[in-house]
Amino acid sequence: MDHPPTEPRDDGPRAAERNERPGRYDPTTLEARWRQAWKDQGLYTVDLDDSSRPKYYFLTMYPYPSGDLHVGHWYAEAPADAAARFRRMRGYNVLFPMGFDAFGLPAENAAIRAAREGEKVHPMSLTYERIDRMEKQFEQMGAMFDWSKKVVTCDPEYYRWNQWVFLRMFERGLAYRKESLVNWDPVDQTVLANEQVIDGRGDRSGALVERRLMPQWHFKITDYADELLDFEGLDWPEKVKTMQTNWIGRSEGAQVAFQTEAGPIEVFTTRPDTLWGATFMVLAPEHPLVPRLTTDARRAEVKAYQAAAARMSEIDRQAEGKAKTGVFTGGYAVNPVTDERVPVWIADYVLTTYGTGAVMAVPAHDQRDFEFARAFGLEVRVVVQPEGAEALDGATMAEAYAGDGVLVNSAPFDGLRVGKEGAQEGIGRVIDWLAERGIGEKKVTYRLRDWLISRQRYWGTPIPVVYCDACGIVGVRDEDLPVELPADVDFLPTGQSPLTLHEGFLNTTCPTCGGPARRETDTMDTFMDSSWYWFRYLSPHLDTAPLDSRLAKAWAPVDMYTGGVEHAILHLLYSRFFTKVLRDLGLIDHGEPFVRMRNQGMILGEDGEKMSKSRGNVVNPDHLVEAYGADAVRAYLMFIGPWDQGGPWNYQGIEGVSRFLNRVWSAIAAPTEEAGVQADTATLRELRRAVHQAIAKVSDHLEGFRFNTAVAELMTLQNALTKAKAAGAAGSPEWAEACEAMTLLLAPIAPHLAEELWARAGNDTSVHLQAWPVADPEALARDEVVIAVQVGGKLRGEVTVPADAGKEDVLAAAKASPNVRRHLEGMVVVREIVVPGKLVNLVVKPQG
RNA sequence: GCGAGGAUGGCGGAACUGGUAGACGCGCCAGACUUAGGAUCUGGUGUCUUUGACGUGCGGGUUCAAGUCCCGCUCCUCGCACCA
């Protein structure tokens, strides 16, 4: 099953040839040697108590241990490593840790598959094997990960603290159990959080999600909805902030009660100003008042509709362009402002999970209500007339009018300007009036729902509660943590968690009364693990608390977080929530986990398609490293294009980068035979200028995560080096400076090659411990500049003038240029534009 | 439908606050070294009817000057999508 999907293009003959000739750039042996040396020296082990330098916590999303390191991992982590190394050379004490998000369905599914074939595989041993394999592959990358702080979330020393935090949340009512309509994934045999359902399908299995009523554990993330909308001070991609804002979906409006014989129906509306136009009501089919409102004459039809709605999947129910359906209950409610009796309908376009599960229908001013009214012949009453336009007529209008306008047919408020665009104030006045009369009140509703964390699976953190007949739901005592996963379980393809069948795990005693009790068999969503893991890197083995508050205070929040945008909502929203909870528990004193964030794009196959085994376009990083060396793979991934865009892999592209590294090698490391400096001073000055320009630009690009242009700039410097060497610059102080600068600038991108060149230059401390070079403005200065000369906005020539030439001199030189003179013939110059150091534009018109 | 981002040579992509479009790399062409080269090195390479004209998705506009700013479109990618 593990055969390589693509053959390496070019490893055999070229690699062999390289090995034959000593003195050539041989990444394979050189890189292995340096990785060993770094390990032996502990070069990347961070002293968290070192306060001599400012700290910088650089975090990159930890992977799920699939057992095989993909180029996608390289793409995510190699440029991040370069950015982290750059920070370090800039004088920061940089923490760049790595670990594994080790719980999860794939390992358990593999165990079930194996069991089906009569084999015994445990997710635990499988996961640890895969972690070992991935760690070895990770090492090839030559990244400065501090593995001494590794976190593995399936280890009891980690998940024990998931349980501890859960208990604190349980005590505060932030974790609670509630029967609710949930998303059931029939393939993975578990419930899913709303965030894990994409287009009505499970995000991992792709199965159509079913709706089931089950008692489930939730976290009260909605308590933090408003705080989660505040991104003040966060340097995050705009896209991620927008996605989270939309997900939380805050709506301001009013809650209004409509009286019925069966009791009041509460509705939420963002347009209480249109209450006078509410001509009917619509409830979700699951609304609790439906049975009592329904008249006997309508009961059979209502029940049939409810049953049909329950059978339908979420995807069918919300299908695009679906025509409105619904049935009349036979019941009526009283519109509280008009005192009219309005019919109560049920329809599946009203969602039971949003707001109160009931709406007041204002067909003239809401498109959905309008469509429903037209479908069933209900009254459309206009209460908002647009200003400066033809008056609307409920009988003839073709669509709802949702814009701003003036109230009509609305007793005390006729003439009031209302609307969401510019007349919010009018809506506020109506709400105040409703509140004074006890009809309604101001209300804020969110789309965000509480985070459902129960999973009916084995391979996760056991939820640390027991069920006691006498005491109810009781949390496990802290001293009895962790509640460990039993190792002796059988994985049966029954769709049942092995925990529910394990008597030794199930039976326990109640911590309160000591009587017999049964353990909870649900485990936690694995997003629980990733919601606080970065704190654990600081003290991975601490056994008295989830985190070391002193170290957390010193190192958190994370200064830079990198990873894929696919986590924009799930992981990143949960992590923000968790950080606020940990703050409220008094463990830390900040509320946001990640100050800065950058997302990388996706690396595609050579055909521009997403890499997949079935397409056969998977690029294998191990083979590439064998053929070109880790530095070339790193540098090519950075060179491929803007990091946040991703892009297709190209085998010819990596050849180019590999050639570049070879040229650096032969320019700097290869012995020069010519004795003495042949180059003239102009050449040496030009070399120095190129060096300092590269320093300035590479610094700027790395600072801005523009790895592609950083590599391009190094290539430009290399071309200057080649040219200078050919002109006999070798042996000069300028040449030595250039070689040193090139080596330092290359260090974050190609750490092995840079280290080798640094050592060959006679240094005995690592290049990665050196200070980043600083550009000398004097070296950048030129004494002559080339000025472009335009006539009438079109380029007609170039002139070289002294850098400090005055405007008149520049103009004179420009006009003297032969081609320019030709274009000025028969013309009058009407305007002269001089952009210092750049260009001259002579605006002309025909003579006479 | 709503929101965000994008469209530049044969290809991946550069271009700071408007100021010589195409940096850098790939590919291609020519040459050098070679028994040979898919290795290495050197030079060239936007298009065309080449003293010049035309060129940054399309159509307008502002400006001495527009890939960049403004107005109106087309297409692509991503996210959300009956949220009251």
Side-chain angles (χ1 to χ4, degrees), chain A residues 176 178 180-184 191-203 209-211 217-219 221-222 247 314 318 353-354 446-455 525 527 569-570 573-574:
Chain A
Y176 66 94
K178 161 186 102 169
S180 62
L181 209 53
V182 298
N183 309 301
W184 175 262
V191 301
L192 299 175
N194 292 318
E195 290 81 355
Q196 288 167 300
V197 179
I198 318 277
D199 291 336
R201 292 174 182 275
D203 65 345
V209 166
E210 297 166 9
R211 294 137 51 80
W217 285 96
H218 296 78
F219 282 158
I221 191 171
T222 51
W247 183 261
E314 200 77 14
Q318 302 198 2
T353 45
Y354 182 77
Y446 303 89
R447 205 185 84 112
L448 180 71
R449 285 168 240 165
D450 278 342
W451 172 16
L452 195 165
I453 60 146
S454 304
R455 295 293 180 274
D525 182 1
F527 279 108
I569 295 178
L570 290 152
L573 190 65
Y574 295 152

Side-chain angles (χ1 to χ4, degrees), chain A residues 47 130 160 217 273 343 386 429 447 557 586 626 638 675 761 793 801 827:
Chain A
D47 176 4
R130 288 174 168 180
R160 168 185 183 178
W217 285 96
D273 51 310
R429 278 185 55 191
R447 205 185 84 112
E626 250 171 68
M638 294 181 218
V801 297
M827 296 289 180

Side-chain angles (χ1 to χ4, degrees), chain A residues 577-645:
Chain A
F577 162 60
F578 239 72
T579 303
K580 294 171 201 305
V581 170
L582 294 177
R583 174 202 60 198
D584 293 347
L585 292 174
L587 290 164
I588 51 172
D589 53 13
H590 60 278
E592 285 291 345
F594 318 122
V595 178
R596 279 174 220 95
M597 180 160 53
R598 298 290 180 271
N599 298 122
Q600 81 274 356
M602 204 193 299
I603 189 90
L604 304 171
E606 243 192 326
D607 52 4
E609 300 289 327
K610 198 170 164 171
M611 280 189 205
S612 73
K613 286 180 201 114
S614 56
R615 276 204 192 83
N617 62 351
V618 175
V619 175
N620 181 317
D622 295 350
H623 293 153
L624 291 168
V625 171
E626 250 171 68
Y628 300 99
D631 283 342
V633 178
R634 291 170 59 104
Y636 177 60
L637 286 168
M638 294 181 218
F639 187 60
I640 208 163
W643 194 44
D644 57 357
Q645 265 174 44

Side-chain angles (χ1 to χ4, degrees), chain A residues 523-766:
Chain A
T523 52
M524 297 180 199
D525 182 1
T526 54
F527 279 108
M528 172 91 182
D529 309 329
S530 52
S531 292
W532 65 283
Y533 74 107
W534 62 94
F535 289 113
R536 198 64 188 170
Y537 283 134
L538 301 171
S539 51
H541 308 297
L542 184 68
D543 62 1
T544 52
L547 56 89
D548 181 322
S549 289
R550 184 185 61 86
L551 287 174
K553 210 166 272 189
W555 281 86
V558 166
D559 296 279
M560 176 62 77
Y561 197 28
T562 66
V565 246
E566 65 274 17
H567 292 107
I569 295 178
L570 290 152
H571 163 55
L572 293 170
L573 190 65
Y574 295 152
S575 295
R576 295 180 64 218
F577 162 60
F578 239 72
T579 303
K580 294 171 201 305
V581 170
L582 294 177
R583 174 202 60 198
D584 293 347
L585 292 174
L587 290 164
I588 51 172
D589 53 13
H590 60 278
E592 285 291 345
F594 318 122
V595 178
R596 279 174 220 95
M597 180 160 53
R598 298 290 180 271
N599 298 122
Q600 81 274 356
M602 204 193 299
I603 189 90
L604 304 171
E606 243 192 326
D607 52 4
E609 300 289 327
K610 198 170 164 171
M611 280 189 205
S612 73
K613 286 180 201 114
S614 56
R615 276 204 192 83
N617 62 351
V618 175
V619 175
N620 181 317
D622 295 350
H623 293 153
L624 291 168
V625 171
E626 250 171 68
Y628 300 99
D631 283 342
V633 178
R634 291 170 59 104
Y636 177 60
L637 286 168
M638 294 181 218
F639 187 60
I640 208 163
W643 194 44
D644 57 357
Q645 265 174 44
W649 180 269
N650 181 322
Y651 283 92
Q652 285 166 335
I654 194 172
E655 290 278 358
V657 171
S658 176
R659 252 173 254 169
F660 155 66
L661 295 179
N662 268 291
R663 280 196 278 257
V664 174
W665 175 270
S666 43
I668 298 181
T672 37
E673 277 139 44
E674 321 88 285
V677 181
Q678 314 285 313
D680 53 22
T681 47
T683 303
L684 295 176
R685 261 192 81 180
E686 197 48 39
L687 173 62
R688 190 141 196 274
R689 216 187 51 75
V691 165
H692 285 268
Q693 180 153 306
I695 293 172
K697 289 198 168 176
V698 172
S699 307
D700 193 44
H701 292 316
L702 286 181
E703 186 72 47
F705 277 63
R706 293 183 299 270
F707 305 103
N708 57 331
T709 45
V711 174
E713 219 45 65
L714 286 175
M715 288 173 166
T716 306
L717 176 59
Q718 177 49 42
N719 293 340
L721 249 55
T722 304
K723 216 169 136 189
K725 198 177 188 182
S732 65
E734 287 83 356
W735 176 254
E737 185 195 22
C739 291
E740 181 178 306
M742 175 56 112
T743 306
L744 291 168
L745 295 179
L746 198 60
I749 290 161
H752 309 89
L753 172 57
E755 190 75 303
E756 177 72 17
L757 294 174
W758 192 250
R760 282 176 180 241
N763 297 291
D764 47 17
T765 52
S766 171

Side-chain angles (χ1 to χ4, degrees), chain A residues 54-71:
Chain A
K55 71 95 184 180
Y56 199 91
Y57 195 161
F58 198 124
L59 184 69
T60 181
M61 291 180 188
Y62 68 167
Y64 174 77
S66 60
D68 205 26
L69 203 70
H70 190 258
V71 253

Side-chain angles (χ1 to χ4, degrees), chain A residues 824-848:
Chain A
L824 291 178
E825 266 166 37
M827 296 289 180
V828 187
V829 176
V830 294
R831 205 170 149 189
E832 291 164 339
I833 293 181
V834 179
V835 181
K838 287 264 178 189
L839 66 66
V840 167
N841 187 10
L842 304 169
V843 186
V844 292
K845 68 171 187 193
Q847 214 156 27

Side-chain angles (χ1 to χ4, degrees), chain A residues 63-120:
Chain A
Y64 174 77
S66 60
D68 205 26
L69 203 70
H70 190 258
V71 253
H73 290 109
W74 276 74
Y75 192 61
E77 274 131 35
D81 176 60
R85 287 177 177 276
F86 169 67
R87 274 284 140 204
R88 185 180 182 182
M89 291 177 82
R90 279 253 158 133
Y92 291 85
N93 187 22
V94 177
L95 175 62
F96 189 55
M98 186 45 75
F100 292 94
D101 186 15
F103 273 135
L105 260 33
E108 186 172 352
N109 289 344
I112 294 168
R113 255 197 318 277
R116 210 172 275 154
E117 283 155 24
E119 278 175 76
K120 235 182 155 165

